Amino acid sequence: MKIQGKELKARALTWSERESLIKAGLDFVYCPVEEDDQLAGIIRSRDIMRFILMDVYGLSDEDLNTVSDKEAMDFAGKVITATFQVQDATEKN
């Protein structure tokens, strides 16, 4: 994803980044939301996206305003997917 001329590469969260996500109450595994509450799920997904892009990648609100919601959500989804893939691989070993 390209923002303000910078190319961002999706990667798995580090242990400390994941711990911060958990402490923020945003981790899907440790902090689930009610499955039938669609609005809560959408809000949670946006909060996770903002956490990843701002707290992990250091972007500002101004930076986020230069990309579409879909592009930002897709990128955050890739980060979460990579994080869980690393976790699964670690647990298998």
Side-chain angles (χ1 to χ4, degrees), residues 1-3 6-11 13 17 21 26 45-80:
M1 179 170 75
K2 198 168 197 168
I3 294 183
K6 296 182 280 188
E7 185 67 34
L8 299 181
K9 301 223 185 270
R11 61 166 177 80
L13 297 176
E17 291 166 345
L21 185 75
L26 298 173
S45 294
R46 289 187 56 77
D47 288 345
I48 292 168
M49 178 264 297
R50 288 182 60 81
F51 176 90
I52 289 171
L53 293 175
M54 296 179 84
D55 294 17
V56 174
Y57 284 86
L59 301 179
S60 66
D61 274 330
E62 181 180 297
D63 294 330
L64 292 180
N65 287 333
T66 66
V67 297
S68 70
D69 281 354
K70 181 183 181 333
E71 188 176 9
M73 293 295 282
D74 288 349
F75 183 82
K78 290 176 185 175
V79 170
I80 293 298

Side-chain angles (χ1 to χ4, degrees), residues 12-31 51 56 80 83-84 86-88 91:
L13 297 176
T14 65
W15 281 99
S16 61
E17 291 166 345
R18 176 98 188 268
E19 184 175 336
S20 295
L21 185 75
I22 293 166
K23 287 180 179 178
L26 298 173
D27 189 89
F28 290 113
V29 175
Y30 295 99
C31 313
F51 176 90
V56 174
I80 293 298
T83 300
F84 286 117
V86 167
Q87 179 182 344
D88 287 346
E91 289 174 355

